[in-house]
Amino acid sequence: MPLPLKKDVLWNAAFFLLALGGLFFIAKTWGNDSLKNWIEAAGPWAPLALVAAKASTIVFAPLSGALIYPLAGALFGFWKGVALSVLGDAIGGAIAFQISRRFGRTFVEKMVGDGGLLAKILTMMGTVRGFLITRLLLVTAQDIVAYAAGLTKLPFLPFILIHVSVSLVPTVLLTASG
């Protein structure tokens, strides 16, 4: 396979950083308090705004996405709220996974902190089975688990399938509460 051109690599990196910057801007500018108003004001773009907000809670590890699920149910109804939340979880998980693949452990430790939890998670999730068990045990820590998975040799497809599947039960329950 031929090596990518330097120009292509630069364009891909620029687009990647622009997307990350956009998610970061959304997360920092509109915290959970004004998130509902922002999504409602988005009009026809509201579903996209909700998906971006949910994805940003995984990419920017300290942000909590727990309030977005009931908000999705309240604004869009149960089934559409679940679908949008799952899409946001999938996109956020995929971005976190790819960030850790591209930038490595030092960068991930800066994103999620390293009180030893990352090292413990990494020892558990070297295989698909290990990742599944870790993901089930840390069902509410989507961000850390997604970043950690990117540091392993776990292929992307099993990662994303497990990441989304394990999130379904909490997503359904929390969205129903809205």
Side-chain angles (χ1 to χ4, degrees):
M1 181 161 63
L3 292 174
L5 298 173
K6 187 175 181 180
K7 178 181 162 186
D8 293 336
V9 171
L10 291 175
W11 275 111
N12 288 337
F15 179 75
F16 182 71
L17 292 173
L18 182 65
L20 279 179
L23 287 173
F24 183 75
F25 176 77
I26 289 168
K28 288 295 183 186
T29 304
W30 297 283
N32 287 334
D33 296 337
S34 59
L35 187 59
K36 181 179 178 189
N37 294 335
W38 176 68
I39 291 172
E40 286 176 334
W45 294 96
L48 181 61
L50 183 109
V51 169
K54 183 62 197 97
S56 71
T57 66
I58 296 173
V59 175
F60 304 105
L63 297 178
S64 172
L67 296 176
I68 294 178
Y69 300 109
L71 179 63
L75 292 175
F76 300 105
F78 177 74
W79 289 111
K80 189 172 182 181
V82 167
L84 293 171
S85 296
V86 167
L87 182 59
D89 285 341
I91 291 170
I95 291 171
F97 183 89
Q98 293 301 326
I99 286 172
S100 63
R101 283 272 160 103
R102 294 209 192 316
F103 298 106
R105 185 171 178 159
T106 303
F107 185 82
V108 170
E109 287 174 350
K110 289 177 184 175
M111 290 293 292
V112 300
D114 188 31
L117 179 61
L118 183 62
K120 289 177 186 173
I121 291 172
L122 285 171
T123 62
M124 295 169 46
M125 65 167 41
T127 64
V128 171
R129 182 174 183 248
F131 176 68
L132 174 60
I133 292 167
T134 304
R135 185 70 181 91
L136 287 168
L137 291 172
L138 299 171
V139 70
T140 61
Q142 296 181 48
D143 47 6
I144 296 171
V145 174
Y147 276 111
L151 296 174
T152 69
K153 293 182 180 184
L154 182 70
F156 179 76
L157 186 58
F159 158 75
I160 200 69
L161 291 174
I162 292 169
H163 176 76
V164 170
S165 297
V166 171
S167 297
L168 282 177
V169 171
T171 299
V172 165
L173 294 174
L174 289 168
T175 304
S177 72

Coordinates of all heavy atoms in Angstrom, one line a residue, residues 93-140:
G93 N -17.4 7.9 21.3 CA -16.6 6.8 21.6 C -15.6 6.6 20.5 O -14.4 6.3 20.7
A94 N -16.0 6.7 19.2 CA -15.1 6.5 18.1 C -14.1 7.6 18.0 O -12.9 7.3 17.8 CB -16.0 6.5 16.8
I95 N -14.4 8.8 18.3 CA -13.5 9.9 18.3 C -12.4 9.7 19.5 O -11.2 9.8 19.2 CB -14.2 11.3 18.5 CG1 -14.9 11.6 17.2 CG2 -13.1 12.4 18.8 CD1 -15.8 12.8 17.4
A96 N -12.9 9.3 20.7 CA -12.0 9.1 21.8 C -11.0 7.9 21.4 O -9.8 8.0 21.7 CB -12.7 8.8 23.1
F97 N -11.6 6.9 20.9 CA -10.8 5.7 20.5 C -9.7 6.1 19.5 O -8.5 5.8 19.6 CB -11.7 4.7 19.8 CG -11.0 3.4 19.4 CD1 -10.9 2.3 20.3 CD2 -10.5 3.2 18.1 CE1 -10.3 1.1 19.9 CE2 -10.0 2.0 17.7 CZ -9.9 1.0 18.6
Q98 N -10.1 6.9 18.5 CA -9.1 7.4 17.4 C -8.1 8.4 18.0 O -6.9 8.3 17.6 CB -9.9 7.9 16.2 CG -10.7 6.9 15.5 CD -9.8 5.8 14.9 OE1 -8.7 5.9 14.5 NE2 -10.4 4.6 14.9
I99 N -8.5 9.2 18.9 CA -7.6 10.2 19.5 C -6.5 9.4 20.2 O -5.3 9.7 20.0 CB -8.3 11.1 20.5 CG1 -9.1 12.1 19.7 CG2 -7.3 11.8 21.4 CD1 -10.0 13.0 20.6
S100 N -6.8 8.4 21.0 CA -5.8 7.7 21.7 C -4.9 6.9 20.8 O -3.7 6.7 21.0 CB -6.4 6.8 22.8 OG -7.3 5.8 22.2
R101 N -5.5 6.3 19.7 CA -4.7 5.6 18.7 C -3.7 6.6 18.0 O -2.5 6.2 17.8 CB -5.6 5.0 17.6 CG -6.3 3.8 18.0 CD -5.5 2.6 17.7 NE -5.9 1.4 18.5 CZ -6.6 0.4 18.0 NH1 -6.9 0.4 16.7 NH2 -6.9 -0.6 18.8
R102 N -4.1 7.8 17.8 CA -3.2 8.7 17.1 C -2.2 9.4 18.0 O -1.1 9.7 17.6 CB -4.0 9.8 16.4 CG -4.9 9.3 15.3 CD -5.2 10.3 14.2 NE -6.1 10.0 13.2 CZ -6.4 9.0 12.5 NH1 -5.7 7.9 12.8 NH2 -7.3 8.9 11.6
F103 N -2.6 9.7 19.2 CA -1.7 10.6 20.1 C -1.1 9.8 21.2 O -0.2 10.4 21.9 CB -2.5 11.8 20.5 CG -3.0 12.7 19.4 CD1 -4.3 12.7 19.0 CD2 -2.1 13.5 18.8 CE1 -4.7 13.5 18.0 CE2 -2.5 14.3 17.7 CZ -3.8 14.3 17.3
G104 N -1.5 8.6 21.5 CA -0.9 7.8 22.5 C -1.2 8.0 24.0 O -2.0 8.9 24.3
R105 N -0.6 7.3 24.8 CA -0.9 7.2 26.2 C -0.6 8.5 26.9 O -1.4 8.9 27.8 CB -0.1 6.1 26.9 CG -0.5 5.9 28.3 CD 0.1 4.7 28.9 NE -0.3 4.6 30.3 CZ -0.2 3.4 31.0 NH1 0.1 2.3 30.4 NH2 -0.6 3.4 32.2
T106 N 0.4 9.2 26.6 CA 0.7 10.5 27.3 C -0.4 11.5 27.1 O -0.8 12.1 28.1 CB 2.1 11.1 26.8 OG1 3.1 10.1 27.0 CG2 2.4 12.3 27.6
F107 N -0.9 11.6 25.9 CA -2.0 12.5 25.6 C -3.3 12.0 26.3 O -4.0 12.8 26.9 CB -2.2 12.5 24.1 CG -3.2 13.6 23.7 CD1 -2.9 14.9 23.6 CD2 -4.6 13.2 23.5 CE1 -3.9 15.8 23.2 CE2 -5.5 14.1 23.1 CZ -5.2 15.4 23.0
V108 N -3.5 10.7 26.3 CA -4.7 10.2 27.0 C -4.7 10.5 28.5 O -5.7 10.9 29.1 CB -4.9 8.7 26.7 CG1 -6.0 8.1 27.5 CG2 -5.2 8.5 25.2
E109 N -3.5 10.3 29.1 CA -3.4 10.6 30.5 C -3.7 12.0 30.8 O -4.3 12.3 31.8 CB -2.0 10.2 31.0 CG -1.8 8.7 31.1 CD -0.4 8.3 31.4 OE1 0.5 9.2 31.4 OE2 -0.2 7.1 31.7
K110 N -3.4 12.9 29.9 CA -3.7 14.3 30.1 C -5.3 14.6 30.0 O -5.8 15.4 30.6 CB -3.0 15.2 29.1 CG -1.5 15.3 29.4 CD -0.8 16.1 28.3 CE 0.7 16.1 28.6 NZ 1.5 16.8 27.6
M111 N -5.9 13.8 29.1 CA -7.3 14.0 28.9 C -8.1 13.4 30.0 O -9.1 14.0 30.5 CB -7.8 13.2 27.6 CG -7.3 13.9 26.3 SD -8.0 15.5 26.0 CE -9.7 15.1 25.6
V112 N -7.8 12.2 30.5 CA -8.6 11.5 31.5 C -8.0 11.5 32.9 O -8.6 11.1 33.8 CB -8.9 10.1 31.1 CG1 -9.7 10.0 29.8 CG2 -7.7 9.2 31.0
G113 N -6.8 12.0 33.0 CA -6.1 12.0 34.3 C -5.5 10.6 34.5 O -5.9 9.6 33.8
D114 N -4.6 10.5 35.4 CA -4.0 9.1 35.6 C -3.8 9.0 37.1 O -2.7 9.2 37.6 CB -2.8 8.9 34.8 CG -2.3 7.5 34.9 OD1 -3.1 6.6 35.1 OD2 -1.1 7.2 34.9
G115 N -4.8 8.5 37.8 CA -4.6 8.2 39.2 C -4.4 6.7 39.3 O -4.7 6.1 40.3
G116 N -3.9 6.0 38.3 CA -3.7 4.6 38.3 C -4.8 3.8 37.6 O -4.7 2.7 37.3
L117 N -6.0 4.5 37.5 CA -7.2 3.8 36.9 C -6.9 3.4 35.5 O -7.2 2.2 35.1 CB -8.4 4.7 37.0 CG -9.7 4.1 36.4 CD1 -10.1 2.8 37.2 CD2 -10.8 5.1 36.5
L118 N -6.3 4.2 34.7 CA -6.0 3.9 33.3 C -5.1 2.7 33.2 O -5.4 1.8 32.4 CB -5.3 5.1 32.6 CG -5.1 4.9 31.1 CD1 -6.4 4.7 30.3 CD2 -4.3 6.1 30.6
A119 N -4.1 2.6 34.0 CA -3.2 1.4 34.0 C -4.0 0.1 34.3 O -3.8 -0.9 33.7 CB -2.0 1.6 34.9
K120 N -4.8 0.2 35.3 CA -5.6 -1.0 35.7 C -6.6 -1.4 34.6 O -6.7 -2.6 34.3 CB -6.4 -0.7 37.0 CG -5.5 -0.5 38.2 CD -6.4 -0.2 39.4 CE -5.5 0.1 40.6 NZ -6.2 0.6 41.8
I121 N -7.2 -0.4 34.0 CA -8.1 -0.7 32.9 C -7.4 -1.4 31.7 O -7.8 -2.3 31.2 CB -8.8 0.6 32.4 CG1 -9.8 1.1 33.5 CG2 -9.6 0.3 31.1 CD1 -10.4 2.4 33.2
L122 N -6.2 -0.8 31.4 CA -5.4 -1.4 30.3 C -5.0 -2.8 30.5 O -5.0 -3.6 29.6 CB -4.2 -0.5 30.0 CG -4.5 0.8 29.3 CD1 -3.3 1.7 29.3 CD2 -5.0 0.6 27.9
T123 N -4.7 -3.2 31.7 CA -4.3 -4.6 32.0 C -5.5 -5.5 31.8 O -5.3 -6.7 31.5 CB -3.7 -4.8 33.4 OG1 -4.8 -4.4 34.4 CG2 -2.5 -3.9 33.6
M124 N -6.7 -5.0 31.9 CA -7.9 -5.9 31.8 C -8.4 -6.0 30.4 O -9.1 -7.0 30.1 CB -9.0 -5.3 32.7 CG -8.7 -5.3 34.2 SD -9.9 -4.4 35.2 CE -11.5 -4.9 34.6
M125 N -8.1 -5.1 29.5 CA -8.8 -5.0 28.3 C -8.0 -5.3 27.0 O -8.2 -4.8 26.0 CB -9.6 -3.7 28.1 CG -8.7 -2.5 28.0 SD -9.5 -1.0 27.5 CE -11.0 -1.0 28.3
G126 N -7.0 -6.2 27.1 CA -6.2 -6.5 26.0 C -6.9 -7.4 24.9 O -6.4 -7.5 23.8
T127 N -8.0 -8.0 25.2 CA -8.7 -8.8 24.3 C -10.2 -8.3 24.2 O -10.6 -7.5 25.0 CB -8.8 -10.3 24.8 OG1 -9.5 -10.3 26.0 CG2 -7.4 -10.8 25.0
V128 N -10.9 -8.9 23.2 CA -12.3 -8.5 23.0 C -13.1 -8.9 24.3 O -13.9 -8.1 24.8 CB -12.9 -9.2 21.7 CG1 -14.4 -9.0 21.7 CG2 -12.2 -8.7 20.5
R129 N -12.8 -10.1 24.8 CA -13.5 -10.5 26.0 C -13.2 -9.6 27.2 O -14.0 -9.2 28.0 CB -13.1 -12.0 26.3 CG -13.9 -12.5 27.5 CD -13.6 -14.0 27.7 NE -14.3 -14.6 28.8 CZ -13.7 -15.0 29.9 NH1 -12.4 -15.0 30.0 NH2 -14.5 -15.5 30.9
G130 N -11.9 -9.3 27.3 CA -11.5 -8.4 28.4 C -12.1 -7.0 28.3 O -12.5 -6.4 29.3
F131 N -12.2 -6.5 27.0 CA -12.9 -5.3 26.8 C -14.3 -5.3 27.2 O -14.8 -4.4 27.9 CB -12.7 -4.8 25.4 CG -13.4 -3.5 25.1 CD1 -13.0 -2.3 25.8 CD2 -14.5 -3.5 24.3 CE1 -13.7 -1.1 25.6 CE2 -15.3 -2.3 24.1 CZ -14.8 -1.1 24.7
L132 N -15.0 -6.4 26.8 CA -16.4 -6.5 27.1 C -16.6 -6.5 28.6 O -17.5 -5.8 29.2 CB -17.0 -7.8 26.5 CG -18.4 -8.2 26.9 CD1 -19.4 -7.1 26.5 CD2 -18.8 -9.5 26.3
I133 N -15.8 -7.3 29.4 CA -15.9 -7.3 30.8 C -15.7 -6.0 31.4 O -16.4 -5.5 32.3 CB -15.0 -8.4 31.4 CG1 -15.5 -9.8 31.0 CG2 -14.9 -8.3 32.9 CD1 -14.5 -10.9 31.2
T134 N -14.6 -5.3 31.0 CA -14.3 -4.0 31.5 C -15.4 -3.0 31.2 O -15.7 -2.2 32.1 CB -12.9 -3.5 30.8 OG1 -11.9 -4.4 31.1 CG2 -12.5 -2.1 31.4
R135 N -15.9 -3.0 30.0 CA -17.0 -2.1 29.6 C -18.2 -2.3 30.5 O -18.9 -1.4 30.9 CB -17.3 -2.3 28.1 CG -18.3 -1.3 27.6 CD -17.7 0.1 27.5 NE -18.7 1.0 27.0 CZ -19.6 1.7 27.8 NH1 -19.5 1.6 29.1 NH2 -20.5 2.5 27.3
L136 N -18.5 -3.6 30.8 CA -19.7 -3.9 31.6 C -19.4 -3.4 33.1 O -20.3 -2.9 33.7 CB -20.0 -5.4 31.6 CG -20.6 -6.0 30.4 CD1 -20.6 -7.5 30.4 CD2 -22.0 -5.4 30.2
L137 N -18.2 -3.6 33.5 CA -17.9 -3.2 34.9 C -17.9 -1.7 35.1 O -18.2 -1.1 36.1 CB -16.6 -3.8 35.4 CG -16.5 -5.3 35.6 CD1 -15.1 -5.7 35.8 CD2 -17.4 -5.7 36.7
L138 N -17.5 -1.0 34.0 CA -17.4 0.5 34.0 C -18.4 1.1 33.1 O -18.1 2.0 32.3 CB -15.9 0.9 33.6 CG -14.8 0.4 34.6 CD1 -13.5 0.7 34.0 CD2 -15.0 1.0 35.9
V139 N -19.6 0.7 33.2 CA -20.7 1.1 32.3 C -20.8 2.6 32.3 O -21.2 3.2 31.2 CB -22.0 0.4 32.6 CG1 -22.6 0.9 33.9 CG2 -23.0 0.5 31.4
T140 N -20.6 3.3 33.3 CA -20.8 4.8 33.4 C -19.5 5.5 33.0 O -19.6 6.7 32.9 CB -21.3 5.2 34.8 OG1 -20.3 4.9 35.7 CG2 -22.6 4.6 35.1

